[in-house]
Amino acid sequence: MDHGAPIEIELINEKRIRVRGDQSLLAASLESGIPHLHACGGNARCSTCRVLVEEGGEHLSPPTEAERALAGRMGFPPHVRLACQAQVRGGPVRLHRLIRDKTDLEMFLARGRSQPGRSLGEERELALLFLDIRNFTPFVETYLPFDVIHILARFHALVRGVIEGNGGRILGVAGDGVYAVFGLETNLAEAAASAVRAGRRILEEVETFSDDYLETYFGLRLAVGMGLHAGAVVCGDVGAGENGAFTAIGFSVNVAARLEAATKEVNNSFLVSEVVYRLLADPPPAVSSCQIELKGVTEPCRVFLLGRPYR
């Protein structure tokens, strides 16, 4: 191949540019009038010229030693390259500039390295668990604010311990509700099994908490509703600052949330979608299964009842 022959590539949502075989992506981008940030002058000592390769990574030159070193420190996934180091050897190639202006630069530098490889958006298959305390409002309206917050703190500590102990991660807490995901470090079948174990354990722990503490001191019993589904989500870090805010969103998340809400109408504390149940190598016995209609979901959803009826 003639390394001087230009190759056309696509900078997604910007323009198509021509790259000569002796040019870096950065040099070609600048030559085409794109204000491609390169704080270190294109010497692989920063990451401001980074690009996300959507298609054609195999047509780029291998990472240089300097690029490999910086990518290792920053925790880049394989499809993120430094434009100052990568050259084009063929096509097609489609990529995004990740840092386009000062605001992008400040955001990416701030959220940096707390979750290596996860700050960028990616599609994953995860198990998704939503849970909520049932009928907690009367307690909130009756007891002192200190008691309400104290019980919520105890409840969330209980739930967090079980979820994290089974390999899950809590992504959201809102009042008496929790959203958690499983499978960030495992395959989907293992994630489903871990999520089911966590859900069943939460039911046991909440029962014990009610028996040993809440009924004695407050005359109260807690009941939870949980919905579990699995599927494709878009996930990544959308927060600014050192800790960031890792999230997972998409249709599968909506299904899991709707299943949690449906525990009331089905009168069972733990609803598991058929998708999850079929992933289990050793599924626990279900009380029963049924078809339910979920808001925003076209087809009826078959669910397996792994919890208990509400008192």
Side-chain angles (χ1 to χ4, degrees):
M1 175 181 173
D2 180 1
H3 289 296
I7 299 170
E8 190 172 82
I9 70 169
E10 181 182 355
L11 286 169
I12 297 170
N13 295 327
E14 294 191 80
K15 64 191 296 187
R16 300 184 70 87
I17 65 173
R18 297 179 73 81
V19 187
R20 297 191 306 274
D22 61 346
Q23 280 184 311
S24 68
L25 286 171
L26 174 63
S29 182
L30 293 171
E31 188 175 277
S32 298
I34 294 173
H36 205 138
L37 291 172
H38 53 294
C40 73
N43 294 301
R45 292 199 296 268
C46 73
S47 64
T48 56
C49 71
R50 71 180 86 169
V51 293
L52 176 68
V53 182
E54 290 282 357
E55 180 183 354
E58 69 276 13
H59 299 310
L60 300 181
S61 59
T64 63
E65 184 177 346
E67 183 178 2
R68 286 198 304 271
L70 190 143
R73 290 198 305 274
M74 298 294 291
F76 290 167
H79 54 296
V80 171
R81 296 293 306 273
L82 295 182
C84 69
Q85 301 296 297
Q87 295 181 326
V88 181
R89 301 291 187 239
V93 175
R94 301 175 66 247
L95 49 85
H96 291 276
R97 278 194 305 141
L98 289 175
I99 302 177
R100 300 184 184 183
D101 58 18
K102 183 179 178 181
T103 301
D104 280 349
L105 177 60
E106 291 172 349
M107 183 178 70
F108 275 88
L109 291 177
R111 67 191 203 187
R113 307 164 193 175
S114 62
Q115 292 292 328
R118 289 199 192 134
S119 64
L120 304 171
E122 59 179 339
E123 187 172 81
R124 298 284 301 274
E125 287 196 320
L126 301 175
L128 314 153
L129 179 70
F130 279 80
L131 68 94
D132 191 67
I133 299 177
R134 289 288 167 260
N135 300 320
F136 195 60
T137 302
F139 180 81
V140 173
E141 295 172 344
T142 302
Y143 282 82
L144 296 172
F146 173 85
D147 293 329
V148 173
I149 297 302
H150 177 66
I151 287 175
L152 277 178
R154 289 278 301 255
F155 172 76
H156 284 303
L158 178 159
V159 168
R160 181 176 296 277
V162 173
I163 287 173
E164 293 180 351
N166 283 278
R169 180 172 175 184
I170 293 177
L171 299 190
V173 174
D176 57 354
V178 175
Y179 165 39
V181 299
F182 295 77
L184 291 171
E185 309 295 341
T186 62
N187 62 44
L188 191 58
E190 292 172 351
S194 296
V196 169
R197 282 196 302 271
R200 299 182 78 197
R201 182 67 178 175
I202 287 169
L203 292 179
E204 294 172 359
E205 293 284 344
V206 168
E207 193 78 8
T208 300
F209 182 41
S210 294
D211 288 340
D212 296 348
Y213 185 81
L214 292 177
E215 273 204 325
T216 300
Y217 298 106
F218 297 96
L220 172 71
R221 298 194 66 84
L222 287 186
V224 298
M226 292 182 289
L228 176 61
H229 184 53
V233 298
V234 173
C235 55
D237 185 353
V238 297
E242 182 179 353
N243 294 321
F246 187 76
T247 193
I249 59 175
F251 178 73
S252 296
V253 178
N254 295 339
V255 172
R258 300 282 191 249
L259 289 178
E260 179 268 307
T263 57
K264 303 171 188 176
E265 64 181 80
V266 178
N267 191 31
N268 190 275
S269 57
F270 190 14
L271 301 187
V272 173
S273 72
E274 184 173 24
V275 172
V276 171
Y277 200 76
R278 300 304 180 199
L279 284 168
L280 302 176
D282 185 23
V287 174
S288 63
S289 68
C290 62
Q291 297 262 54
I292 60 174
E293 303 281 345
L294 299 178
K295 182 180 178 182
V297 179
T298 304
E299 298 294 327
C301 181
R302 177 164 292 281
V303 295
F304 290 78
L305 284 56
L306 301 189
R308 303 160 186 167
Y310 294 112
R311 296 188 179 186

